Amino acid sequence: MEANILVGGPKQFWPTNFEQVATEHAQDFIWVGADQGAVALCELGISPNLAIGDFDSASSRDQFLVQVRAQKIISARSEKDYTDTQLAVLMTEKYFPQVDKINIYGATGGRLDHLLANIFLVLGPEFEHLATKVRLFDYQNSVSFYLPGEYQLLKEAQMTYLAFIPLTAVKNLNLFNTKYRLAKAEFDRPISLASNEFMEEKAHFAFSEGVVCVIQSRD
Amino acid sequence: MEANILVGGPKQFWPTNFEQVATEHAQDFIWVGADQGAVALCELGISPNLAIGDFDSASSRDQFLVQVRAQKIISARSEKDYTDTQLAVLMTEKYFPQVDKINIYGATGGRLDHLLANIFLVLGPEFEHLATKVRLFDYQNSVSFYLPGEYQLLKEAQMTYLAFIPLTAVKNLNLFNTKYRLAKAEFDRPISLASNEFMEEKAHFAFSEGVVCVIQSRD
């Protein structure tokens, strides 16, 4: 079972076909809306299984919409140690333990402190066990996270570039079947190894310590 | 002396008044264009002191424009270990050692691997000494970087939020005069302490180890 979390970033950053796919396949997913993302889901005609936020800045029409449509509303007011996205991920896990993939939309394109909180989310001690379940999507980026191990990546349709981004100190990073390869590379700080590419439909990589973010993207 | 570097991110992410301020005050700055940023500077009527890139994907009209207008062109083709932004920063330092501030525009809003490379730029060993000179600006974010020490921050006009973002392990982080305060906090991984705010026109912070990114932003 997959959960889709929509957070409040600008709509023009949603994947190109997000609204169509979301409404046509609404029944196939658990839907969680964070703050303005909950309002946006309701406007799409999707009833969020969970709505997270304090909705302080929402209009009374928007608050009413969420109250009518959302199956459950969780106040973010009492959980100020977490961002709305963090809380949405934690509550998704709590209420829907059967979920094995958490897709986050609306997490890019606005304030950079929010974007970085979303990228760094899986580094928090309460979140690391969820790292490989969480992915972020926008109209030109697909972001996934990996803990130590060996992995196969599949080239996503319409994506051109492949980036490996150690978010922490990373040891023994090996990139196979990519345009630029690496063997046993070590990094002691975050770095974005940008603009790599698939050489065929699959690529492999492995590392022994740390957290690596992988981004497939296009211009 | 300040240098302005324009890189190739989408124009809609430039600060609201960038084109007007840039053209009216063009004489006050060293101008460096990276890849499509060099083309964009030429189109604004600004002659880049340096243009960096391979311009492979530029049209012949754009290549001609840069060749005619740029005072010096540096090929990125032979420096593939660096992104265009990294190379622009290094070459700015090399050719204009009198520069004490490096403002980067056009660094946000498109591919996230590029954005993260720009945010993590100052963590590279060749760049850390430039960390406090480098800033990134877009239409809703102003990003600066700090090495260990004690600092005063001034609230920027029109910005609402203030975020402290340890990009590495950080020790002894103290936040004073901010809505949410911290005393002697330690972080062993990157984290975005988002959505803090100034309580007055100034705030102070200090830390003893690592690299901290500070973002002022607005919705």
Side-chain angles (χ1 to χ4, degrees):
Chain A
M1 191 77 194
E2 297 188 29
N4 288 340
I5 296 176
L6 183 62
V7 296
K11 289 186 184 186
Q12 62 266 36
F13 279 79
W14 293 357
T16 314
N17 54 356
F18 177 77
E19 293 176 68
Q20 187 196 340
V21 174
T23 51
E24 285 179 6
H25 300 276
Q27 303 303 323
D28 301 339
F29 297 94
I30 302 288
W31 287 94
V32 179
D35 205 62
Q36 281 301 313
V39 178
L41 283 181
C42 295
E43 286 174 338
L44 285 174
I46 296 171
S47 295
N49 300 77
L50 290 178
I52 314 275
D54 55 21
F55 302 105
D56 274 352
S57 57
S59 67
S60 52
R61 172 260 187 196
D62 287 350
Q63 291 185 17
F64 179 74
L65 191 64
V66 172
Q67 275 162 11
V68 168
R69 282 210 174 257
Q71 292 170 34
K72 183 171 179 62
I73 298 177
I74 294 171
S75 167
R77 212 173 285 126
S78 52
E79 296 281 2
K80 270 303 175 199
D81 283 350
Y82 294 113
T83 67
D84 289 341
T85 312
Q86 288 172 328
L87 202 56
V89 169
L90 287 177
M91 293 299 123
T92 298
E93 187 192 25
K94 177 178 176 182
Y95 287 98
F96 305 100
Q98 73 276 31
V99 161
D100 55 4
K101 287 188 183 176
I102 299 176
N103 310 310
I104 304 178
Y105 301 89
T108 63
R111 280 169 48 195
L112 290 174
D113 58 340
H114 279 168
L115 171 64
L116 291 172
N118 293 333
I119 296 277
F120 295 155
L121 180 141
V122 303
L123 302 181
E126 320 91 303
F127 296 90
E128 188 171 317
H129 68 287
L130 293 169
T132 56
K133 289 186 183 177
V134 170
R135 298 185 66 175
L136 311 179
F137 296 95
D138 73 14
Y139 77 109
Q140 62 180 134
N141 299 279
S142 157
V143 183
S144 51
F145 303 92
Y146 296 87
L147 301 176
E150 185 167 348
Y151 301 96
Q152 177 177 274
L153 296 169
L154 297 179
K155 184 178 182 306
E156 294 172 38
Q158 302 178 316
M159 294 302 188
T160 312
Y161 302 102
L162 175 65
F164 297 88
I165 302 168
L167 294 177
T168 62
V170 161
K171 288 192 177 169
N172 209 24
L173 178 62
N174 294 273
L175 309 182
F176 312 104
N177 309 79
T178 53
K179 185 172 176 184
Y180 306 105
R181 299 179 182 205
L182 275 184
K184 298 184 183 175
E186 307 227 335
F187 302 94
D188 61 357
R189 294 172 155 199
I191 185 171
S192 174
L193 306 168
S195 302
N196 208 335
E197 294 175 35
F198 283 86
M199 295 304 286
E200 38 197 273
E201 289 305 300
K202 295 177 185 175
H204 290 80
F205 77 108
F207 63 106
S208 63
E209 204 170 294
V211 181
V212 172
C213 167
V214 171
I215 300 181
Q216 294 197 41
S217 65
R218 59 181 176 184
D219 283 320
Chain B
M1 191 77 196
E2 296 189 29
N4 287 340
I5 296 176
L6 183 62
V7 295
K11 289 186 185 186
Q12 62 266 36
F13 279 78
W14 293 357
T16 315
N17 54 356
F18 178 77
E19 294 176 66
Q20 187 195 340
V21 173
T23 50
E24 286 179 5
H25 300 276
Q27 303 303 322
D28 301 338
F29 296 94
I30 301 289
W31 288 94
V32 178
D35 206 60
Q36 280 302 313
V39 177
L41 284 180
C42 295
E43 285 173 338
L44 285 174
I46 295 171
S47 296
N49 300 77
L50 290 178
I52 314 274
D54 56 20
F55 302 104
D56 274 351
S57 58
S59 67
S60 52
R61 172 261 189 196
D62 287 350
Q63 290 185 17
F64 179 74
L65 192 64
V66 173
Q67 275 163 10
V68 168
R69 282 213 176 255
Q71 291 169 34
K72 183 170 179 64
I73 298 176
I74 294 171
S75 168
R77 211 172 287 126
S78 51
E79 296 282 359
K80 272 302 175 200
D81 283 351
Y82 294 113
T83 67
D84 288 342
T85 312
Q86 289 173 327
L87 202 56
V89 169
L90 287 177
M91 293 298 123
T92 298
E93 187 193 23
K94 177 178 176 181
Y95 287 99
F96 305 101
Q98 73 276 28
V99 161
D100 55 5
K101 287 188 183 175
I102 299 177
N103 310 310
I104 303 179
Y105 301 88
T108 65
R111 280 168 48 194
L112 290 174
D113 59 338
H114 279 168
L115 171 64
L116 291 172
N118 293 333
I119 297 277
F120 295 155
L121 180 142
V122 303
L123 302 181
E126 320 91 302
F127 296 90
E128 188 171 317
H129 69 287
L130 293 169
T132 55
K133 289 186 184 177
V134 170
R135 298 185 68 176
L136 311 179
F137 297 94
D138 73 13
Y139 78 108
Q140 62 181 134
N141 299 280
S142 155
V143 183
S144 50
F145 302 92
Y146 296 86
L147 301 177
E150 186 167 348
Y151 301 96
Q152 176 176 273
L153 295 169
L154 297 179
K155 184 177 182 307
E156 293 172 38
Q158 301 177 317
M159 293 303 187
T160 313
Y161 302 102
L162 175 65
F164 297 87
I165 301 167
L167 294 177
T168 62
V170 160
K171 289 194 175 168
N172 208 24
L173 178 62
N174 294 274
L175 308 182
F176 313 104
N177 308 82
T178 52
K179 184 172 176 185
Y180 306 104
R181 299 178 183 207
L182 276 184
K184 296 185 182 175
E186 306 227 336
F187 302 93
D188 61 357
R189 293 172 156 201
I191 186 171
S192 174
L193 306 169
S195 302
N196 209 334
E197 294 176 35
F198 284 86
M199 295 304 286
E200 37 197 275
E201 290 305 299
K202 294 176 186 175
H204 290 80
F205 78 107
F207 63 106
S208 63
E209 205 171 293
V211 180
V212 172
C213 167
V214 171
I215 300 181
Q216 293 197 41
S217 65
R218 60 180 176 185
D219 282 321

